[in-house]
Amino acid sequence: MGAGHSSLKGTLMQLPTVQPGGPTELLSLEDIPALQREVRELAQARNAIILAHNYELPEIQQVADYVGDSLGLSRQAAAAGAEVIAFCGVHFMAETASILSPDKTVLLPDLGAGCSLADSITAEQLRAWKAEHPDAVVVMYVNTTAEVKAETDYCCTSSNAVQVVEHIRREHGDDVEILFGPDMFLGAYVEKVTGKRMSVWMGECHVHAGIRPSDIAQVREANPGAEFLIHPECGCSTSVMEYVASGDVDPDHTHMLSTGGMLDFARYSDADTFIVATETGMLHPLEQENPGKTFVPANRAAVCQFMKMITLPKLRDALRDGGEAYTVKVDPELAERARLPIERMVAISGA
């Protein structure tokens, strides 16, 4: 991985599971517009802003005030002027909103919407790792719990991980030891771009890890000449970087991008066909912004069931009923410690 050999740290993880019977309610096409109108009316009545991740269901994205990637959502949460933030994403995202907006009510329509990547490292594990490397700077993906963020020096997202690591080396010197986690594929990507090794935690997003090199080979063969947009969390990302280096994959048509970066690239590209290697929810905003272009999923099974746990009826109920069943609130002392690495991330990206 990267330049030299990465020091991988981690353990086999127990993935969270979705409740039997599936995470979503079946809605008829007639139900959706009525529920969307009700959701918007409730949001206005409660002075609420609705934030949605790019991987959410299309009907959720359509009612949101803002749809974006982790970095964009963090910025919106910090700047939100509303009294209530209705967060359509997974639990760590709602925690981040609570950390950045402690005086606001943060609602998550299903408190069970977890994240396999966030669950791949605990605060106790991170403290033990830090104890083995007392002089290291810790960089954790924003896809982590508040407890992990509180043990972290800098947060990052897929869109600014390289920028954050380069900033740390400018501040602390090229030889600074960096503990990077929890996504091992993103860590390998950062090492490849910067040319320097880090100690990388052996965690992964089970959805992105499931997009394998064989998927890429098949879909590229079926779509010759297509632009290839790949999220650096994907299980195929390390192999793709090696293919590019060896000349087996055309580097001019292969782009490692965050979900926000994918939107920017597709918006300004003259190409008409794009292979998209990330969670399939990303196809909706890409198609909405680019009606004349074709977007092909690298793996149609790359669906995050936790993101899909957020449905219109649940969002409606959260806005209508509120209360502990939907509220995410981070302990003030913990939030204060976790806020610093997030604010450093946002400041670096805004510089």
Side-chain angles (χ1 to χ4, degrees):
M1 286 189 180
H5 296 284
S6 223
S7 173
L8 287 176
K9 184 76 172 181
T11 57
L12 291 176
M13 59 181 171
Q14 181 69 41
L15 292 179
T17 57
V18 179
Q19 292 299 314
T24 63
E25 299 94 332
L26 292 177
L27 298 176
S28 71
L29 292 177
E30 291 78 13
D31 291 336
I32 291 174
L35 277 167
Q36 288 177 323
R37 286 193 298 271
E38 187 177 1
V39 163
R40 288 309 316 167
E41 289 168 0
L42 285 166
Q44 185 174 6
R46 289 210 60 180
N47 189 17
I49 184 173
I50 301 174
L51 305 181
H53 193 272
N54 287 316
Y55 297 159
E56 288 296 315
L57 293 164
E59 59 265 29
I60 292 290
Q61 295 189 33
Q62 289 163 2
V63 297
D65 295 289
Y66 177 86
V67 179
D69 59 11
S70 294
L71 179 59
L73 292 170
S74 295
R75 286 172 166 158
Q76 290 294 321
E83 296 177 8
V84 176
I85 299 173
F87 214 113
C88 299
V90 291
H91 197 273
F92 78 80
M93 296 180 177
E95 279 190 334
T96 302
S98 177
I99 290 166
L100 293 173
S101 302
D103 297 329
K104 301 184 188 302
T105 298
V106 178
L107 301 175
L108 181 63
D110 192 322
L111 295 183
C115 173
S116 60
L117 179 55
D119 284 352
S120 69
I121 188 169
T122 66
E124 183 178 6
Q125 289 172 320
L126 179 51
R127 284 191 290 269
W129 196 24
K130 287 166 61 177
E132 296 171 3
H133 304 269
D135 297 323
V137 176
V138 178
V139 180
M140 284 284 129
Y141 202 9
V142 76
N143 300 35
T144 46
T145 65
E147 288 84 358
V148 167
K149 289 182 176 73
E151 299 290 336
T152 296
D153 296 307
Y154 292 82
C155 282
C156 72
T157 70
S158 56
S159 63
N160 67 6
V162 170
Q163 192 178 1
V164 168
V165 168
E166 289 178 339
H167 170 86
I168 291 168
R169 290 207 171 102
R170 285 195 301 270
E171 294 292 313
H172 298 271
D174 279 345
D175 295 329
V176 64
E177 183 179 13
I178 295 176
L179 304 184
F180 187 97
D183 190 274
M184 59 184 176
F185 298 113
L186 181 59
Y189 169 70
V190 172
E191 288 185 316
K192 187 75 173 180
V193 173
T194 63
K196 294 182 180 293
R197 68 183 295 275
M198 304 180 296
S199 293
V200 179
W201 190 262
M202 196 170 60
E204 64 182 26
C205 160
H206 72 286
V207 176
H208 280 108
I211 302 177
R212 308 307 304 172
S214 58
D215 299 324
I216 303 306
Q218 292 171 9
V219 76
R220 286 181 69 86
E221 184 177 352
N223 298 273
E227 296 287 337
F228 181 26
L229 313 183
I230 177 171
H231 196 287
E233 282 183 41
C234 288
C236 60
S237 62
T238 305
S239 297
V240 169
M241 287 187 290
E242 296 303 325
Y243 296 157
V244 169
S246 65
D248 293 334
V249 170
D250 181 1
D252 292 335
H253 297 283
T254 302
H255 315 278
M256 303 285 279
L257 299 165
S258 67
T259 55
M262 290 179 182
L263 282 166
D264 288 340
F265 183 87
R267 185 181 301 124
Y268 298 111
S269 173
D270 292 330
D272 57 11
T273 304
F274 305 79
I275 297 167
V276 182
T278 190
E279 207 271 355
T280 56
M282 189 62 209
L283 298 177
H284 177 72
L286 285 167
E287 290 168 348
Q288 290 296 109
E289 283 206 16
N290 303 277
K293 300 176 182 179
T294 300
F295 298 91
V296 182
N299 183 334
R300 293 188 181 278
V303 178
C304 177
Q305 295 299 321
F306 299 103
M307 287 285 187
K308 271 51 176 182
M309 290 172 75
I310 308 302
T311 63
L312 279 174
K314 291 178 182 177
L315 176 56
R316 184 266 320 276
D317 293 349
L319 286 166
R320 183 189 62 198
D321 304 333
E324 292 185 6
Y326 303 103
T327 301
V328 174
K329 181 68 175 177
V330 178
D331 174 78
E333 187 276 332
L334 182 66
E336 185 175 353
R337 292 166 54 210
R339 189 175 301 116
L340 179 60
I342 300 170
E343 289 179 341
R344 283 173 171 169
M345 171 191 74
V346 174
I348 291 169
S349 298

